[in-house]
Amino acid sequence: GAVVSQHPSWVICKSGTSVKIECRSLDFQATTMFWYRQFPKQSLMLMATSNEGSKATYEQGVEKDKFLINHASLTLSTLTVTSAHPEDSSFYICSANGPTATEAFFGQGTRLTVV
Amino acid sequence: AQSVTQLDSHVSVSEGTPVLLRCNYSSSYSPSLFWYVQHPNKGLQLLLKYTSAATLVKGINGFEAEFKKSETSFHLTKPSAHMSDAAEYFCVVTVSGGYNKLIFGAGTRLAVHP
């Protein structure tokens, strides 16, 4: 099946700094990617829909200035957590619809810890 | 609006016994439904999907699910649990029958005991 690669798999950063997470579709083009956040022992919550060449669509309650999304190419979307704080610590997962749009493929996830 | 309810937050079974993870959905349209599995600190893997074809869907690792429109259910089953099945399972419905937004259930943690 199609492969989505997410990098890094884990990151620790200091409070106030910014962190960039990459999501790549390795063997297909993804015009749309999705970013989710998952708190411990909870489900995935959609943060935003990333569209290649246009602005991301954010879900209600998600700060677009804090979670910057860039989808500059058909195979790469990035999520930048700006001025990170400890409450931003979470597991972030991206997904992309496969080439036939019949299935969503997920990255491995990124564990962000802000200290 | 679409929604999905996983009826059990935790399920515990013995190895070799059947598994049943329950899921009910609500959808204004003909839904597409999925079951995903997540092992600790890992991404999600698709187990199976229903997309308006056969109502009994067979997936990977011996899992299957049956779409029952009259009961608005899409329960996940496996005849015999294996230790490696221990993980978090998510029932998912798409928005408006498409493949854009996925609405996740709260998840069911499956524990398998020897």
Side-chain angles (χ1 to χ4, degrees):
Chain A
V3 178
V4 174
S5 178
Q6 194 172 335
H7 179 80
S9 56
W10 60 270
V11 58
I12 301 173
C13 71
K14 291 185 176 181
S15 186
T17 62
S18 296
V19 173
K20 179 183 286 188
I21 303 171
E22 294 186 346
C23 181
R24 293 182 184 272
S25 56
L26 296 186
D27 49 4
F28 67 101
Q29 294 181 334
T31 55
T32 303
M33 292 184 176
F34 304 90
W35 288 95
Y36 297 85
R37 184 173 182 175
Q38 185 181 30
F39 289 105
K41 299 184 179 181
Q42 294 189 26
S43 189
L44 279 73
M45 297 299 295
L46 180 65
M47 298 175 64
T49 302
S50 171
N51 301 296
E52 187 269 336
S54 64
K55 292 183 178 180
T57 303
Y58 290 82
E59 296 299 301
Q60 191 171 8
V62 178
E63 299 177 60
K64 62 180 180 181
D65 294 330
K66 181 168 187 62
F67 299 100
L68 301 179
I69 292 173
N70 183 276
H71 195 156
S73 77
L74 288 171
T75 60
L76 174 64
S77 175
T78 61
L79 168 68
T80 301
V81 183
T82 63
S83 186
H85 291 284
E87 57 265 30
D88 298 325
S89 299
S90 189
F91 194 58
Y92 293 87
I93 305 177
C94 70
S95 76
N97 290 342
T100 60
T102 59
E103 180 177 340
F105 294 90
F106 288 83
Q108 307 95 312
T110 298
R111 170 74 58 193
L112 171 62
T113 302
V114 184
V115 297
Chain B
Q2 282 84 352
S3 67
V4 60
T5 302
Q6 291 182 242
L7 301 172
D8 307 292
S9 59
H10 291 82
V11 170
S12 181
V13 301
S14 297
E15 189 176 22
T17 63
V19 175
L20 170 64
L21 305 183
R22 298 182 295 168
C23 172
N24 285 101
Y25 70 92
S26 173
S27 177
S28 303
Y29 305 88
S30 296
S32 292
L33 294 156
F34 308 79
W35 276 98
Y36 284 88
V37 61
Q38 184 183 33
H39 289 91
N41 292 314
K42 299 290 185 182
L44 279 75
Q45 181 183 23
L46 179 68
L47 283 177
L48 49 80
K49 60 184 176 183
Y50 167 77
T51 55
S52 75
T55 57
L56 181 62
V57 182
K58 294 188 182 299
I60 62 171
N61 301 335
F63 285 95
E64 63 180 40
E66 186 171 7
F67 173 74
K68 293 187 176 180
K69 186 175 181 179
S70 61
E71 299 176 9
T72 61
S73 69
F74 190 59
H75 301 335
L76 181 70
T77 60
K78 182 173 181 177
S80 176
H82 192 274
M83 295 296 289
S84 61
D85 293 329
E88 188 85 17
Y89 291 80
F90 293 100
C91 182
V92 180
V93 65
T94 58
V95 173
S96 301
Y99 296 92
N100 291 326
K101 290 185 179 180
L102 302 180
I103 306 298
F104 282 78
T108 298
R109 182 163 297 277
L110 174 65
V112 182
H113 301 288

